[in-house]
Amino acid sequence: MNSTELSRVYVLFLLVIATGSHVWAKRYLRCELARKLLDQHGFERSLLSNWICLLEHESELDTAKVTVNPNGSKNYGLFQINGRYCQQGRRGGICNVNCDDLLDENIQEAAVCAKRIQTSDGFRHWNGWQRYCRNTQNLPNLKVICGI
């Protein structure tokens, strides 16, 4: 196990202790996640390549990822949603969600919040998209790769 994996396990362990409950995390495969976003969470097919590119660069398709930003704020989960959109330990923030719930294998609340952010701010809200996905030539061709 490398240091990154150990850090993730440690974060999950701390969450279990802090919340008194368990959080089940998942690292998705590209096509598995693309189908889930499309079929179960109502993401637009025309934007799906943008979302997958963003998620690969923001969270590496890992629901347990927590990033501490230079300003001290944190980004949570698969969509790397900033702490101003959630509340630590209880529901709150702009998306009225508990930050811990953004780290769960059940991505329903994270997906709703991410779509809300994208609708208001566009993909430019995420540095990973700006840096790696803004150029459409860098987007994965999900029709060819996944048959979507």
Side-chain angles (χ1 to χ4, degrees):
M1 198 177 272
N2 66 35
S3 63
T4 302
E5 291 168 330
L6 283 173
S7 295
R8 288 183 182 141
V9 169
Y10 181 68
V11 167
L12 285 174
F13 176 74
L14 289 177
L15 285 171
V16 169
I17 291 171
T19 63
S21 62
H22 63 278
V23 174
W24 296 106
K26 179 171 177 72
R27 182 148 188 193
Y28 284 94
L29 300 174
R30 175 190 270 177
C31 295
E32 171 193 24
L33 182 57
R35 284 187 186 89
K36 185 176 190 82
L37 294 178
L38 188 63
D39 298 339
Q40 295 175 21
H41 298 287
F43 280 69
E44 292 180 43
R45 184 180 303 273
S46 63
L47 299 177
L48 200 55
S49 290
N50 282 279
W51 282 110
I52 293 300
C53 182
L54 178 155
L55 297 173
E56 288 177 338
H57 289 96
E58 288 283 335
S59 67
E60 300 168 330
L61 308 182
D62 187 351
T63 65
K65 185 166 184 179
V66 177
T67 304
V68 179
N69 298 310
N71 67 4
S73 69
K74 293 180 182 176
N75 296 337
Y76 296 89
L78 183 66
F79 294 92
Q80 288 294 280
I81 294 172
N82 188 269
R84 72 177 181 259
Y85 291 91
C86 61
Q87 179 75 36
Q88 191 63 49
R90 63 183 175 86
R91 296 184 76 80
I94 295 169
C95 286
N96 192 32
V97 65
N98 184 329
C99 296
D100 297 335
D101 292 342
L102 299 176
L103 304 174
D104 200 321
E105 178 180 1
N106 179 349
I107 64 168
Q108 178 61 38
E109 291 194 271
V112 169
C113 186
K115 287 194 285 187
R116 180 177 181 178
I117 294 167
Q118 193 276 330
T119 298
S120 65
D121 298 342
F123 288 111
R124 69 181 180 276
H125 170 82
W126 288 276
N127 291 332
W129 183 86
Q130 294 233 51
R131 198 170 193 192
Y132 300 102
C133 310
R134 174 180 259 174
N135 181 344
T136 57
Q137 293 178 350
N138 294 337
L139 298 178
N141 185 338
L142 297 175
K143 189 171 191 170
V144 170
I145 299 167
C146 305
I148 294 176

